Amino acid sequence: MFDIENDNATLGFTFFGIIVSYNFVKYHALARAQKSRLTVQLKAIFIMSLFSLFAASYYFFQLQRNTQIMGFVFLIITLLYTLPVFPNKRNARNWAGFKIYIVALCWVGVTLFLPIINNHLPYSRYVFLVAMQRFLLLFVLILIFEIVDLKSDDPHLKTVPQQIGVEKTKLVGFALLFLFVVLEFLSIDLKVQFFLLKCCLAFTTLLFLIFVNESRSRYYTSFWVESIPMIWWILILVFS
């Protein structure tokens, strides 16, 4: 979307860094609880994460200094998201109403601003337009997860479905997807292929939003909804 080529440092750091951070967020508590009897699966995840940590570190030192600083900031956010800041306090993941914003902001920062910074691209209006669109799309994707997790989430989390109900959450998601598409018209150089791409992306996400409910299988989100960014990437290749 920004004509960036051969930025292997950012690609490598992002790819391997996400594996490390995701596994750390998801499995560190489980690993600590079962440290005396780690399963084969957890051991395999640990080995993969360790390899990814070395790879992410290798690519980190190939990044520009400003990109390294930004990457370090997101590392701190990931740690705060997982570990309690103060003794006897909850981590950021469990702060009431904050989780959805933290996750969406990290996505936008890593997938958009890291390559922008590393390639010394100007902070044009289009960059911030894409940032707003990406934040809106990710917000809706997380809403789908929150609806599926409605029965298992702790009530104190105050997720959007917990506060306004499933049907109103879907209406909010629909409004955000509509705004996601409409924002494209603010682009100075409106490209038809990117507009069509975002329409396809919004429509696909809308279908998942319409048919989601708290009784859906975990595979509905863990496989199908998680695949939407992959569909996004494929559409970018096709429309480019």
Side-chain angles (χ1 to χ4, degrees):
M1 295 176 71
F2 294 93
D3 297 319
I4 298 174
E5 296 182 0
N6 303 319
D7 188 8
N8 293 324
T10 305
L11 285 172
F13 174 71
T14 301
F15 180 79
F16 291 107
I18 286 175
I19 293 176
V20 176
S21 59
Y22 182 85
N23 286 345
F24 178 70
V25 168
K26 188 172 181 65
Y27 295 108
H28 91 283
L30 182 62
R32 286 170 56 191
Q34 299 182 359
K35 56 184 177 182
S36 60
R37 49 186 179 85
L38 290 180
T39 64
V40 174
Q41 181 188 26
L42 283 176
K43 290 179 181 178
I45 291 171
F46 174 78
I47 293 172
M48 180 179 67
S49 301
L50 188 62
F51 168 80
S52 297
L53 177 61
F54 286 126
S57 301
Y58 167 78
Y59 285 109
F60 176 81
F61 289 107
Q62 296 185 36
L63 297 172
Q64 301 292 326
R65 178 60 57 86
N66 289 341
T67 317
Q68 290 178 340
I69 294 173
M70 183 63 72
F72 186 75
V73 169
F74 287 113
L75 170 63
I76 297 300
I77 294 175
T78 301
L79 292 176
L80 293 177
Y81 183 77
T82 311
L83 303 174
V85 183
F86 304 105
N88 302 319
K89 297 293 183 180
R90 294 181 179 272
N91 54 34
R93 188 181 190 182
N94 291 304
W95 292 352
F98 272 85
K99 175 182 175 181
I100 192 168
Y101 299 100
I102 294 174
V103 174
L105 283 173
C106 284
W107 261 79
V108 174
V110 171
T111 64
L112 177 62
F113 284 104
L114 283 191
I116 292 294
I117 293 171
N118 203 58
N119 289 275
H120 305 290
L121 297 181
Y123 293 105
S124 63
R125 189 174 78 170
Y126 185 62
V127 170
F128 290 100
L129 176 66
V130 172
M132 290 174 61
Q133 289 179 307
R134 194 160 297 188
F135 181 87
L136 292 173
L137 180 66
L138 291 165
F139 197 95
V140 177
L141 289 175
I142 299 169
L143 288 180
I144 299 175
F145 279 81
E146 290 189 344
I147 291 174
V148 172
D149 294 337
L150 189 57
K151 290 183 177 179
S152 58
D153 276 342
D154 191 318
H156 88 275
L157 288 176
K158 294 184 180 179
T159 62
V160 177
Q162 286 176 343
Q163 296 186 77
I164 65 174
V166 173
E167 294 307 316
K168 289 184 178 178
T169 298
K170 291 184 178 183
L171 290 176
V172 170
F174 175 79
L176 294 180
L177 287 174
F178 179 75
L179 182 59
F180 166 79
V181 173
V182 170
L183 282 175
E184 190 67 15
F185 289 104
L186 296 180
S187 175
I188 297 175
D189 182 22
L190 179 64
K191 296 181 180 179
V192 176
Q193 65 268 35
F194 283 147
F195 176 72
L196 293 175
L197 182 155
K198 287 170 183 176
C199 286
C200 292
L201 196 56
F203 180 72
T204 302
T205 306
L206 179 62
L207 289 178
F208 281 104
L209 180 65
I210 290 173
F211 292 106
V212 70
N213 57 61
E214 52 269 53
S215 300
R216 283 286 184 180
S217 164
R218 293 288 300 178
Y219 288 105
Y220 189 83
T221 50
S222 298
F223 182 82
W224 292 108
V225 178
E226 289 273 20
S227 71
I228 290 179
M230 296 295 293
I231 297 172
W232 187 355
W233 174 60
I234 293 171
L235 287 174
I236 288 177
L237 295 180
V238 171
F239 281 101
S240 296

